[in-house]
Amino acid sequence: MSEQTPDHGEAHGGGLGGRLNWLRAAVLGANDGVVSTAGLVVGVAGATSSRTTLLTAGLAGLLAGSMSMAAGEYVSVSTQRDAEKAALVQERRELATEPKAELIELTGLLRAKGLSAKLAREVAVQLTAHDALRAHAEVELGIDPDELTNPWHAAGASFLAFTVGALLPLLAIVLPPDGLRLPVTVVSVLAALALCGWLSARLGSAPAVPAILRNTGGGALAMIVTYVAGAALGASGA
């Protein structure tokens, strides 16, 4: 009888891990878009019922937030990429000037991962002969030289995720009739936040209920605070 490969339901492979990280970032970006835009439009709705004013405020918040997210992600990932490049340059220099010391270092790193001294030495020699820079980059630095972080991809993903999340409260506050705007917006936002919480928990293999409660509780608090502030400003005529 042939043996079957066990299926543990686990994610294997660096490529899949990278895609999961991007997906988590997309969920978090969408979550930010939902919360920040919902807080903005609900706050404005506390002060005025003008659809034009609500649409203007919501669009301004969407564009400002998405551009801010994209710019922040671009700067952050660019800094990370520069650090990765600098580390690879230094590693390449050390391999050229101190190959024996680098081989000893790689052997020690492999031993720290649980290999015996003899096996670690053998693996280090073979990895060095095949591609010394890649071996040190992956084992010592945790970097794949062929897949450095791309700041443009990160910025675009953040912009898109935030925009998608922000569209929900924006449409929910301007499309329904005046009397239904707030209820529709609140219910829609809380449902979207519950979904984002559930997705983030699933992607991180964490319990879903605490994540959902944190997400919906934070979003509800944001809407309450901004609505009260907007209503107070509207009542004062400011």
Side-chain angles (χ1 to χ4, degrees):
M1 183 173 61
S2 61
E3 295 184 357
Q4 294 182 344
T5 302
D7 181 9
H8 301 295
E10 299 173 349
H12 298 281
L16 180 57
R19 288 193 293 273
L20 287 176
N21 286 334
W22 278 107
L23 190 52
R24 289 189 191 99
V27 171
L28 293 175
N31 189 85
D32 287 342
V34 172
V35 174
S36 60
T37 307
L40 175 61
V41 296
V42 167
V44 175
T48 178
S49 60
S50 168
R51 180 178 273 107
T52 300
T53 302
L54 291 170
L55 179 60
T56 301
L59 282 175
L62 184 155
L63 291 173
S66 59
M67 291 301 297
S68 175
M69 288 283 291
E73 195 71 12
Y74 178 82
V75 170
S76 174
V77 175
S78 292
T79 301
Q80 179 183 345
R81 185 182 179 91
D82 291 343
E84 291 173 345
K85 286 183 174 180
L88 290 174
V89 169
Q90 180 179 348
E91 198 63 41
R92 187 179 288 109
R93 184 186 307 117
E94 291 174 352
L95 286 168
T97 57
E98 303 177 66
K100 291 184 179 179
E102 289 298 295
L103 180 60
I104 293 172
E105 180 183 36
L106 182 59
T107 301
L109 291 170
L110 292 171
R111 287 197 65 186
K113 291 179 177 294
L115 299 183
S116 66
K118 181 179 179 181
L119 182 57
R121 174 74 179 185
E122 181 180 348
V123 172
V125 169
Q126 292 188 21
L127 289 175
T128 300
H130 176 68
D131 191 334
L133 179 61
R134 175 178 292 278
H136 280 267
E138 293 181 348
V139 177
E140 180 181 349
L141 305 174
I143 297 174
D144 185 343
D146 295 330
E147 294 187 10
L148 298 182
T149 51
N150 189 311
W152 289 108
H153 290 172
S158 293
F159 181 91
L160 181 61
F162 187 96
T163 300
V164 170
L167 281 173
L168 174 69
L170 176 58
L171 295 176
I173 202 72
V174 299
L175 293 182
D178 189 6
L180 295 177
R181 286 175 188 166
L182 277 177
V184 168
T185 300
V186 170
V187 171
S188 301
V189 166
L190 292 181
L193 291 177
L195 177 60
C196 286
W198 180 81
L199 283 174
S200 63
R202 290 286 296 173
L203 291 170
S205 300
V209 173
I212 291 173
L213 292 178
R214 284 194 300 267
N215 248 25
T216 55
L221 180 61
M223 288 187 287
I224 291 171
V225 169
T226 56
Y227 181 79
V228 170
L233 289 173
S236 67

